[in-house]
Amino acid sequence: MEERVLSATYRELSAKDVEFLEAMLPDRRESRMGTIASRMGVSSGCAAKYKTRLLALGAIRQMGRGVVAFDMPGLRAYVASRANEG
């Protein structure tokens, strides 16, 4: 069941949404928006657009000012496995 939910959610993501999530992978728990933007090679404002979308999907959660974390159970591992496939 979890695999189907994760797969369906992943299919809804744009390439930049996925890139945002992949930019969070090196961090153990929480990710700073500035670090995510830097890893993506985009401005903080651009990264914020994807943050807003991913928050609305429930994929990530706001942990504090400029700090986010994966929220959907299993999504971090799912994104990591997909990144390793590509």
Side-chain angles (χ1 to χ4, degrees):
M1 174 82 145
E2 183 178 297
E3 177 74 20
R4 284 191 306 211
V5 171
L6 293 172
S7 178
T9 300
Y10 192 87
R11 283 193 308 270
E12 288 183 42
L13 303 175
S14 71
K16 283 292 191 183
D17 292 334
V18 171
E19 187 178 345
F20 184 103
L21 295 174
E22 288 175 348
M24 292 176 63
L25 292 175
D27 304 314
R28 293 192 120 181
R29 292 189 180 106
E30 301 169 345
S31 299
R32 298 202 169 277
M33 285 299 298
T35 303
I36 294 168
S38 177
R39 289 175 183 157
M40 292 177 72
V42 300
S43 70
S44 294
C46 183
K49 290 190 299 187
Y50 300 105
K51 177 188 89 168
T52 300
R53 180 170 152 73
L54 291 165
L55 286 168
L57 284 171
I60 62 172
R61 70 180 177 276
Q62 187 85 37
M63 299 299 291
R65 183 180 167 103
V67 180
V68 296
F70 283 90
D71 194 33
M72 185 177 287
L75 185 59
R76 172 188 284 278
Y78 190 85
V79 170
S81 71
R82 296 297 301 245
N84 290 333
E85 289 176 6

